[in-house]
């Protein structure tokens, strides 16, 4: 018996990507539109979402929202259901990262990461699960991180939020699989997202070291498997879709 029903044909599949305006979310949007899926995109940046789906208006829907505001998620979901009659797959890709060491804990920044990376998913889950129970089918995919499996330099709070997402996704699977709702956990490795590219010069300036040393000694220096460079966004998007093809 398969863990989840494999997705063998993306054409006309109704996909809602939350966190679509940049990084892996944007790369997934482009990949899915090429596969002729119907893609609803959400993030706080309406202008970026409009630009992302330009030329694909017939197969896309722009639903701006702030994941920390549950009422905005409700409004977006109502719009989506009214437009498409429901949806088949929700991808939670939204996230943020702020480098933090144990002697530099900033409570406000830590709370922000928890609100976006963890509570953002929690805010949306009751809405999504209610719809999938009504449909008697659906698929939830949560993008966490390999950083959730063990501690990493600079990832004191980020890693903790991703560890929580991993645990939550595993429990969601146990609860929802008997109800015909699939759950996929996606843990990307070290991917060169716009957020990472922004942080490299910032950390170099703050630490007084070269950008190359930031990448090799700080960002990748604590990896257990000797990672020497970042993966690319299209690789991460392709791997994410490939995971949904698996039985």
């Amino acid at each position: 018996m398969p863990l989840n029903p494999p997705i063998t044909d993306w054409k006309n599949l109704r996909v809602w990507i939350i966190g679509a305006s940049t990084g892996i979310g944007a790369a997934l949007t482009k990949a899915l539109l090429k596969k002729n899926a119907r893609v609803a995109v959400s993030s706080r940046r309406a202008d970026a979402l409009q630009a992302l789906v330009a030329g694909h208006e017939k197969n896309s829907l722009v639903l701006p929202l702030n994941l920390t505001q549950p009422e905005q998620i409700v409004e977006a979901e109502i719009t989506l259901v009214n437009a498409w009659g429901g949806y088949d797959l929700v991808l939670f890709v939204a996230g943020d990262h702020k480098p933090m060491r144990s002697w530099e804990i900033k409570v406000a920044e830590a709370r922000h990461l928890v609100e976006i990376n963890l509570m953002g998913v929690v805010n949306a889950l009751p809405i999504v699960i209610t719809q999938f129970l009504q449909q008697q089918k659906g698929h939830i995919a949560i993008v966490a991180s390999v950083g959730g499996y063990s501690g990493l330099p600079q990832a004191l709070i980020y890693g903790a939020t991703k560890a929580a997402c991993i645990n939550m996704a595993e429990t969601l699977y146990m609860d929802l699989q008997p109800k015909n709702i699939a759950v996929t956990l996606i843990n990307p490795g070290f991917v060169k997202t716009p957020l990472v590219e922004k942080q490299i010069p910032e950390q170099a300036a703050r630490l007084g070291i070269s950008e190359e040393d930031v990448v090799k000694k700080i960002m990748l220096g604590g990896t257990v498997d000797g990672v020497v460079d970042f993966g690319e966004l299209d690789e991460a998007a392709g791997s994410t879709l490939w995971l949904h093809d698996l039985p």
Side-chain angles (χ1 to χ4, degrees), residues 10 15-20 25 28-29 32 39-40 42 89-94 132 139-143 184 186 240-241 244:
W10 292 92
V15 183
W16 187 10
I17 301 179
I18 300 177
L28 278 168
T29 300
L32 284 168
V39 186
S42 291
L89 167 65
V90 176
L91 280 152
F92 289 101
V93 196
F132 284 165
H139 196 146
I140 296 167
I142 296 175
V143 176
T184 299
I186 301 155
T240 298
L241 299 186
H244 288 85

Side-chain angles (χ1 to χ4, degrees), residues 127-177:
I127 301 161
V128 169
I129 292 172
T130 297
Q131 176 63 26
F132 284 165
L133 288 172
Q134 291 175 355
Q135 295 177 181
Q136 299 185 341
K137 64 177 181 178
H139 196 146
I140 296 167
I142 296 175
V143 176
S145 169
V146 295
Y149 285 124
S150 64
L152 290 172
Q154 306 279 348
L156 181 67
I157 306 301
Y158 173 84
T161 64
K162 295 303 183 178
C165 284
I166 291 170
N167 187 289
M168 182 168 60
E170 291 172 346
T171 304
L172 284 168
Y173 176 82
M174 288 187 285
D175 284 348
L176 297 177
Q177 195 268 348

Side-chain angles (χ1 to χ4, degrees), residues 23-29 31 191 232-243:
I24 294 174
L28 278 168
T29 300
V191 181
E232 298 296 330
L233 285 171
D234 58 348
E235 295 172 338
S239 297
T240 298
L241 299 186
W242 174 75
L243 284 173

Side-chain angles (χ1 to χ4, degrees), residues 96-106 109-110 113-114 117 144-164 189-190 195-196 199 203 206-207 214 217-223:
D96 200 358
H97 173 51
K98 294 182 181 296
M100 199 176 301
R101 302 306 294 264
S102 301
W103 56 87
E104 298 174 330
I105 296 174
K106 297 178 181 177
E109 290 187 359
L113 292 179
V114 173
N117 296 354
S145 169
V146 295
Y149 285 124
S150 64
L152 290 172
Q154 306 279 348
L156 181 67
I157 306 301
Y158 173 84
T161 64
K162 295 303 183 178
F190 300 88
L195 180 61
V196 167
Q199 288 177 351
Q203 292 197 48
R206 183 168 65 89
L207 299 173
V214 167
K217 296 181 180 180
I218 303 298
M219 291 184 167
L220 301 179
T223 59

Side-chain angles (χ1 to χ4, degrees), residues 53-74:
V53 300
H56 297 276
E57 287 78 8
K58 290 184 178 180
N59 285 337
S60 64
L61 191 61
V62 173
L63 303 169
L65 60 82
N66 185 333
L67 267 181
T68 67
Q69 305 297 319
E71 66 278 5
Q72 293 187 20
I73 306 171
V74 171

Side-chain angles (χ1 to χ4, degrees), residues 115-129:
E115 286 294 328
I116 296 295
N117 296 354
L118 176 59
M119 290 307 301
V121 180
V122 173
N123 287 339
L125 278 174
I127 301 161
V128 169
I129 292 172

